[in-house]
Amino acid sequence: MTRILGGLPAAARGVLLETDWASHRHAYGSGEDIPVALCSLLDKDAGVRSEALAVLDMGVLHQGSLYTVTAPAALFVAAILDHPLCLAEHEGHLPWDDGPPRSLRAALLDWLGQVAESAAYGEDPARDRANWEWQPWHEDTRGKRDPDELAALQACRDIRPALYDAVEPFLSSCDPHIYASALGVALPLLSAPALADRVPRAAALLRGRLGTMTGRRERAAVARALSLWGMDTSDLLADSDPAVRVCAALGPVRVDRPRALAVLLDALRDPRTTDGWFPEPLRGVDGWFRFTVLRSALDLAVSFEEVAAVTTAMVAAGRRSVVDHESGPILFRAFPGGYDPAHSLTSAQRALLGAFVDTDETTGSIGGNWLWFRAAGLPENREGIAALLRTYP
């Protein structure tokens, strides 16, 4: 640590020396051991560097959880991104870190992206509801956080301007891996209200590169970022590549809402093809891509009737998909305020519930979605839904 300390950038050295590490916590205890791990990120031994990054993955950001030590550790990582050793190839240490070769800089950027995503969660309920993993019962537990957890979350949100300023130069990188990793950090960072003033400049950087890009994945990632930042992507809704068109329609703000919704619904008519667009998921999008497309379509629709034909067909297809991420959200959108016995079912609601009943015996579609049925105020079994349908002939 002493050997490495002298060669650190001033900002990194300041974080290291001015932080009371013993007062912070990580997943396994006191943060007093973290300075050694941080310095080890710049050790000449590649094995030592990979072990140090594993400490960040396992302890400082354990399964996406933030700790009080996370913010100062992230500031240190941001401050060393320009260090020459960051150009060295990174060797994965953990069993799941077996992707294609990448530099240490790309690995550190990827880690910062995970910090940024965790910090953004829960900040904008509307944005969270469009996330493919959102479930309505999560709302009941969002406010139940202990003081240390809340302090860690706020600290990570407070440092986002500093993190973005450190990351932005790499949005101009000629290395496609560095650029992609930098975009993976910038996307959640610039979703923060406090960084709204930086969005136009970042969007201009991405637009400037878009004309030279030919790969589907790279162009789609740019379209998605612009859309999620609320930029005008109407031109990309007419792109020749359907994957780019869909990514341009994923964000919360639309210049041309009907056309954007039509693009998303077209992709859902052939979900298997849509799932095959990105063999390696876009950064920040895990799971089948159709889950993300579906949530965006449900969020964009003014009423369930706008999406009823396509989404009911998805339920009627009877695929044994991950029900929480497909059939359940469709059901919840059909009953946004919960089922009200005082009002008759609409024809669209009847058709959807009928599809659930028809497929239940072979797929368990109702039992598998019982939490979603409960959230929508509906019976939680086939018999109950069938009886409900008989009530409204």
Side-chain angles (χ1 to χ4, degrees):
M1 179 173 172
T2 302
R3 172 174 50 82
I4 293 172
L5 190 61
L8 288 176
R13 189 163 56 251
V15 171
L16 204 66
L17 299 178
E18 296 167 13
T19 301
D20 181 6
W21 297 98
S23 69
H24 292 293
R25 305 283 296 178
H26 54 68
Y28 302 107
S30 169
E32 58 189 340
D33 59 340
I34 296 303
V36 172
L38 293 175
C39 284
S40 297
L41 290 169
L42 297 177
D43 196 281
K44 293 181 179 179
D45 187 314
V48 173
R49 294 196 300 269
S50 65
E51 288 179 14
L53 187 54
V55 171
L56 299 189
D57 284 333
M58 295 292 291
V60 178
L61 188 69
H62 181 66
Q63 296 182 350
S65 296
L66 302 173
Y67 302 89
T68 55
V69 80
T70 309
L75 285 174
F76 180 93
V77 169
I80 65 170
L81 289 173
D82 240 348
H83 195 282
L85 260 176
C86 287
L87 296 174
E89 186 171 304
H90 171 64
E91 298 178 2
H93 180 75
L94 300 169
W96 52 85
D97 191 12
D98 58 352
R102 55 179 174 161
S103 67
L104 176 61
R105 179 174 293 154
L108 293 176
L109 284 166
D110 289 343
W111 184 81
L112 287 175
Q114 294 171 36
V115 172
E117 288 175 6
S118 293
Y121 182 75
E123 189 171 36
D124 182 347
R127 184 176 67 219
D128 289 344
R129 284 194 293 273
N131 184 285
W132 70 276
E133 293 182 294
W134 181 85
Q135 297 166 329
W137 46 93
H138 287 171
E139 299 290 330
D140 298 332
T141 60
R142 177 171 290 171
K144 299 176 183 177
R145 291 173 167 171
D146 62 44
D148 281 351
E149 193 176 358
L150 290 172
L153 175 62
Q154 190 57 52
C156 288
R157 288 178 176 175
D158 289 344
I159 65 170
R160 288 183 294 194
L163 295 185
Y164 178 74
D165 289 344
V167 167
E168 187 188 68
F170 300 106
L171 291 176
S172 302
S173 175
C174 296
D175 183 324
H177 298 293
I178 297 296
Y179 164 75
S181 295
L183 180 56
V185 192
L187 204 160
L189 286 177
L190 293 186
S191 297
L195 276 74
D197 62 322
R198 290 166 166 81
V199 170
R201 174 179 166 83
L205 286 172
L206 299 192
R207 283 283 190 180
R209 299 190 62 143
L210 190 60
T212 64
M213 292 177 172
T214 57
R216 160 176 282 177
R217 179 182 173 81
E218 294 77 15
R219 299 184 70 248
V222 169
R224 175 172 172 258
L226 294 172
S227 183
L228 292 178
W229 291 337
M231 306 303 291
D232 180 2
T233 56
S234 55
D235 61 319
L236 296 176
L237 292 175
D239 194 88
S240 60
D241 190 325
V244 175
R245 294 198 297 269
V246 166
C247 285
L250 293 179
V253 179
R254 303 289 185 272
V255 171
D256 189 347
R257 188 196 69 85
R259 187 157 60 120
L261 181 58
V263 165
L264 296 174
L265 292 177
D266 280 345
L268 293 173
R269 289 187 176 93
D270 187 5
R272 295 187 185 280
T273 297
T274 300
D275 284 339
W277 284 342
F278 306 109
E280 180 187 352
L282 295 175
R283 294 173 191 270
V285 182
D286 298 316
W288 293 112
F289 188 56
R290 72 176 184 273
F291 296 156
T292 292
V293 177
L294 173 63
R295 291 297 181 103
S296 294
L298 296 177
D299 183 61
L300 182 57
V302 173
S303 66
F304 178 64
E305 280 67 22
E306 282 194 303
V307 296
V310 172
T311 56
T312 300
M314 293 174 71
V315 173
R319 288 188 302 273
R320 288 185 175 272
S321 61
V322 183
V323 291
D324 274 350
H325 304 315
E326 185 171 278
S327 302
I330 293 171
L331 176 79
F332 194 72
R333 183 63 183 86
F335 296 87
Y339 165 64
D340 183 356
H343 295 89
S344 298
L345 296 174
T346 67
S347 58
Q349 290 171 332
R350 282 186 53 80
L352 177 64
L353 293 180
F356 273 105
V357 170
D358 291 344
T359 59
D360 188 63
E361 288 186 339
T362 57
T363 67
S365 62
I366 295 177
N369 285 283
W370 69 272
L371 282 172
W372 289 96
F373 277 85
R374 173 180 293 180
L378 290 161
E380 300 167 23
N381 53 59
R382 186 175 189 273
E383 294 73 19
I385 296 299
L388 180 62
L389 289 172
R390 289 194 295 272
T391 304
Y392 300 102

